Amino acid sequence: MKLASLKSGGRDGTPVVVSRDLSRMALATSVVPTLRDAIENWGQVAPELQTLSAQLEAGKLDSLPYDPTTLASPLPRAFQWADGSAYLSHMRLVRKARGVEMPANSQTDPMLYQGGSDAFLGPVDPIPCVDTDWGLDFEGEIAVITDDVPMGCSTEQAKSHIKLILLCNDISLRHVMRPELIKGFGFFQSKPASAFSPICVTPDELGKAWTGGRVNLPLLTTYNGEDYGRVHAGKDLTFEFPDLIAHAARTRDLAAGTIIGSGTVSNEDHDVVGSNCLAEKRMIETIRDGNAATRFMQPGDTIRFEMLGEDGVSIFGAIDQTVVAG
């Protein structure tokens, strides 16, 4: 099942079911007022949404042409957005370029930060660039949406709490980030609103590509119209989503609608598959050449993230954004 939220209908949008080939979408308000309400009552609502989805596929529902410009992020806002760093190949590059060792427990203890979740950008909304000196960067990620997760949830139990999967552009301001990290109190100003794919899907939509904790497909990144990365999301992943969820729930309950991100999808053979953020490429240049040549984003730049199934059809639709002076 593929779900999305129209921008109309208030801050939480209006829910729609989307056809598997991304050609049509139909209102789901006969079942639930918003996707936020759906995830909070998933056990009751999911079967009814599945019925709507089947009716759409069979051509038995009034529908609209699929149009990502009318869509918000699936959850236009959420009670919680926690982002990890599950691909340690990315973290190793960043730390090596800075001459800093990896934490001793990096292989066993996931890293998470709590991002702003009060408002997300839509999948094709412009990215505001207030100051080019802030070091605007994109980060291509996978994310999951959970139902209610109890405190102390185990990794094995966490698998059943993953209800929806989507893509993310976790936007970062790299030159604002460094002084924040020096303070030792985490990200805040360096993490403006993130954007998510127009569509979120139930795990069964991924078929064999979903193994219960990871997506075994490449994430396709196009920067300024050119291939920038074809990084495989199932490779070089140190922590699967159940690991991240269990880590987040160690000392607190997670409310339904919590979004957990993987962190930048990264492979060890980055010289072959490319990267999913500018910072990673800059780190590679710094290690290789002594300095970074790649600039950060400026007004007019474009970034696109997409993932295709084995049939070549886009699974989540595309995050397709342009940087504008803000």
Side-chain angles (χ1 to χ4, degrees):
M1 176 169 57
K2 297 189 175 187
L3 301 170
S5 291
L6 294 170
K7 289 182 176 180
S8 60
R11 291 190 179 188
D12 293 310
T14 300
V16 292
V17 290
V18 182
S19 63
R20 288 192 172 93
D21 64 358
L22 304 192
S23 65
R24 310 293 295 174
M25 54 187 184
L27 289 174
T29 47
S30 62
V31 174
V32 70
T34 69
L35 287 190
R36 176 174 152 185
D37 290 284
I39 198 68
E40 289 182 341
N41 300 280
W42 192 252
Q44 172 188 341
V45 169
E48 298 177 58
L49 289 174
Q50 288 281 10
T51 298
L52 274 187
S53 178
Q55 290 173 340
L56 176 63
E57 292 296 330
K60 296 179 180 179
L61 277 185
D62 291 335
S63 61
L64 304 165
Y66 170 75
D67 181 1
T69 65
T70 65
L71 298 176
S73 284
L75 291 181
R77 57 178 178 167
F79 287 115
Q80 182 159 225
W81 157 233
D83 198 20
S85 186
Y87 296 86
L88 292 190
S89 54
H90 172 73
M91 189 57 62
R92 288 190 194 100
L93 281 173
V94 172
R95 297 220 165 206
K96 184 176 181 180
R98 289 166 47 198
V100 178
E101 295 292 326
M102 290 287 288
N105 62 350
S106 60
Q107 294 282 347
T108 58
D109 196 21
M111 290 178 281
L112 281 173
Y113 81 88
Q114 196 164 30
S117 60
D118 49 336
F120 298 124
L121 295 177
V124 298
D125 285 353
I127 302 172
C129 180
V130 177
D131 189 334
T132 55
D133 289 337
W134 286 354
L136 180 63
D137 197 0
F138 54 83
E139 291 189 61
E141 305 188 9
I142 315 297
V144 299
I145 303 175
T146 74
D147 62 2
D148 287 304
V149 181
M151 182 174 64
C153 174
S154 70
T155 299
E156 188 60 34
Q157 292 167 336
K159 293 179 182 179
S160 66
H161 292 288
I162 298 171
K163 301 305 179 185
L164 295 165
I165 305 165
L166 62 171
L167 304 181
C168 175
N169 180 12
D170 181 43
I171 299 164
S172 295
L173 303 173
R174 300 297 184 183
H175 295 323
V176 179
M177 185 180 296
R178 183 174 288 247
E180 283 197 308
L181 292 176
I182 290 173
K183 292 178 183 178
F185 210 56
F187 304 125
F188 194 89
Q189 292 179 332
S190 56
K191 289 292 187 177
S194 300
F196 292 87
S197 54
I199 294 165
C200 58
V201 307
T202 48
D204 60 288
E205 285 291 330
L206 293 168
K208 294 179 180 178
W210 176 252
T211 58
R214 66 177 70 200
V215 179
N216 289 293
L217 290 168
L219 179 59
L220 310 179
T221 303
T222 306
Y223 181 46
N224 288 332
E226 298 184 358
D227 288 344
Y228 191 83
R230 291 178 173 266
V231 185
H232 201 286
K235 289 177 56 182
D236 304 320
L237 180 65
T238 304
F239 301 105
E240 295 191 331
F241 280 108
D243 299 313
L244 298 178
I245 293 168
H247 181 79
R250 181 186 177 198
T251 60
R252 66 176 80 175
D253 296 333
L254 306 181
T258 290
I259 307 175
I260 303 286
S262 65
T264 303
V265 178
S266 177
N267 290 165
E268 297 287 355
D269 57 343
H270 44 74
D271 54 330
V272 176
V273 300
S275 299
N276 277 317
C277 68
L278 296 171
E280 187 166 290
K281 189 170 183 180
R282 286 170 58 87
M283 296 305 104
I284 294 167
E285 292 168 344
T286 299
I287 294 166
R288 184 187 64 210
D289 306 324
N291 63 282
T294 297
R295 64 167 176 80
F296 286 116
M297 300 182 85
Q298 298 179 1
D301 288 345
T302 60
I303 181 63
R304 179 184 176 95
F305 297 107
E306 194 167 21
M307 184 172 279
L308 307 181
E310 293 182 357
D311 56 3
V313 175
S314 182
I315 297 171
F316 306 96
I319 299 173
D320 197 352
Q321 298 180 278
T322 300
V323 178
V324 299

